Amino acid sequence: DIFLLTTDGLHEFWDPLQVLQTIRTAPSFDIAAEKIVQDALDRGSNDNLTLQIARIDNLPAGSDSSGLVDDTLSLPIGELPKAGSMIDGFRIERQIVNSARSHIYLAVAPDDTQVVLKFPSVDMRDNPDYLRRFVMEEWISRRIHSPHVLGPAIAPVERSALYTVTEFVEGQPLRQWMTDNPNPSLEQVRNIIEQIVNGLRAFHRREMLHQDLRPENIMINAEGTVKIIDFGSTSVAGVQEISPIYIDDDILGTVQYTAPEYFLGYGGTSQSDLFSLGVIAYEMLTVQFPYGVKVSHIRNQKDLRRLKFKSTLTSKEPLPEW
């Protein structure tokens, strides 16, 4: 990959095709840079002319997902652990979640910190798409650095079975918080939404889409810190471009919070995650959904135009206009 960064003194006075040709044919980037600057001067630029050309020849070891995915996928799906048992140095404390898709345990790491071990369901062993997404969850957690996103934990050098390791968040899901606080203040809602925004920003700056943002996938710890969890539906742009290990044909999120474009088959963007965030904020403030349950019924543009937004300004207890 070759990246070209310029000031407007250059890119407001250039011919893009000529710039590409110059970079491709010049003996060196230094000569190419001088030629591009001179061409802009000849075209009348009298502003700051600064540019940088950077070429990526290779990536450091372990920077892509293919090795982690392939190595981890080769591990066996073993029997589920029991409280008190040991696996690769981790001591299992108790089960946190037991579902048809995964089994999540609280464990103590060799350094005595609490971590979460997540095991795939045996019933999903023949579903390669699910298993690849499962493995990618830990890879994603190791590449996003935000206090508002579930982080990784120290993993063993070698694993005896297929599982992921992440930090343990001691707290409650936003869904439980909403149940306990049916009439939150605007300040409480704004504080929570702002923290979710910061977490989403960390995803989007890495060109990742969470795609399943909902109250069940947001944790609030004892200190009030909000963290986004569960990356099983997350799309990673670079990984998809280099090696499409899975295909996003299916709607991966929960329909009440999924943006309309997914139902129209367009796929998502960062704005799709923001739509989900908007639904969460609306629900926290009104205990309703902004379009009811009609969004999931969309199949074409005609259906989309029929959607009716329920403004809170017309409700019995309207929110402030701001």
Side-chain angles (χ1 to χ4, degrees):
D1 290 332
I2 296 176
F3 295 88
L4 176 64
L5 298 88
T6 68
T7 56
D8 54 7
L10 274 165
H11 56 249
E12 289 184 0
F13 292 87
W14 70 7
D15 178 344
L17 293 179
Q18 182 177 331
V19 169
L20 286 174
Q21 186 64 18
T22 299
I23 293 175
R24 288 170 178 159
T25 59
S28 70
F29 283 166
D30 285 339
I31 294 175
E34 292 175 3
K35 177 72 165 59
I36 293 169
V37 168
Q38 187 58 52
D39 288 344
L41 288 171
D42 294 342
R43 289 172 180 268
S45 176
N46 59 358
D47 202 348
N48 172 29
L49 290 86
T50 303
L51 82 159
Q52 182 177 48
I53 305 174
R55 184 179 66 206
I56 309 299
D57 291 322
N58 54 66
L59 297 174
S63 61
D64 66 10
S65 68
S66 57
L68 178 145
V69 171
D70 293 340
D71 292 345
T72 309
L73 280 175
S74 64
L75 294 170
I77 300 178
E79 293 185 4
L80 295 176
K82 297 180 180 179
S85 63
M86 299 290 295
I87 178 170
D88 302 332
F90 295 102
R91 185 178 74 254
I92 303 298
E93 294 284 287
R94 59 181 173 87
Q95 190 171 67
I96 301 175
V97 174
N98 180 26
S99 72
R101 297 180 64 83
S102 61
H103 309 275
I104 303 175
Y105 294 83
L106 174 64
V108 177
D111 63 358
D112 289 330
T113 59
Q114 289 186 313
V115 299
V116 168
L117 301 188
K118 185 175 182 179
F119 295 81
S121 170
V122 175
D123 296 335
M124 306 295 287
R125 69 168 71 211
D126 295 323
N127 187 331
D129 181 71
Y130 162 81
L131 292 176
R132 288 180 179 272
R133 286 189 177 279
F134 182 89
V135 171
M136 282 295 294
E137 289 192 59
E138 184 177 329
W139 185 87
I140 291 167
S141 75
R142 296 187 183 282
R143 278 152 183 81
I144 298 182
H145 306 288
S146 167
H148 303 293
V149 176
L150 182 71
I154 298 177
V157 177
E158 294 186 2
R159 306 185 199 203
S160 59
L162 179 58
Y163 61 86
T164 62
V165 187
T166 59
E167 70 170 324
F168 171 62
V169 180
E170 188 170 6
Q172 62 178 339
L174 177 59
R175 172 65 68 200
Q176 184 61 52
W177 188 94
M178 291 164 64
T179 300
D180 296 341
N181 298 271
N183 296 297
S185 68
L186 288 173
E187 189 59 35
Q188 285 177 302
V189 174
R190 185 164 66 174
N191 173 51
I192 290 173
I193 295 300
E194 182 177 9
Q195 293 187 65
I196 301 173
V197 166
N198 289 332
L200 269 185
R201 183 180 292 122
F203 275 90
H204 296 167
R205 285 178 172 171
R206 286 281 187 169
E207 292 192 87
M208 299 182 187
L209 305 179
H210 187 275
Q211 298 194 127
D212 192 17
L213 198 65
R214 53 192 170 101
E216 289 78 7
N217 285 340
I218 298 166
M219 292 291 293
I220 304 176
N221 69 14
E223 289 75 38
T225 301
V226 176
K227 288 179 180 281
I228 299 172
I229 65 171
D230 195 340
F231 312 142
S233 300
T234 300
S235 171
V236 185
V239 172
Q240 291 291 82
E241 292 164 5
I242 296 170
S243 176
I245 58 175
Y246 42 71
I247 300 173
D248 290 334
D249 283 340
D250 297 328
I251 294 173
L252 300 170
T254 303
V255 293
Q256 295 95 324
Y257 303 91
T258 299
E261 52 267 28
Y262 286 104
F263 298 102
L264 292 172
Y266 295 147
T269 67
S270 59
Q271 293 186 50
S272 308
D273 278 347
L274 295 182
F275 178 93
S276 302
L277 176 62
V279 175
I280 293 171
Y282 188 103
E283 184 184 12
M284 291 178 70
L285 292 166
T286 68
V287 200
Q288 299 181 51
F289 294 114
Y291 298 95
V293 295
K294 300 293 186 181
V295 175
S296 61
H297 299 165
I298 291 176
R299 294 298 178 267
N300 51 54
Q301 291 290 340
K302 187 177 181 180
D303 293 338
L304 182 63
R305 289 192 293 270
R306 287 175 177 167
L307 282 183
K308 298 295 183 182
F309 175 75
K310 297 190 295 185
S311 172
T312 63
L313 297 177
T314 60
S315 64
K316 293 182 180 179
E317 297 181 4
L319 296 172
E321 288 191 20
W322 58 265

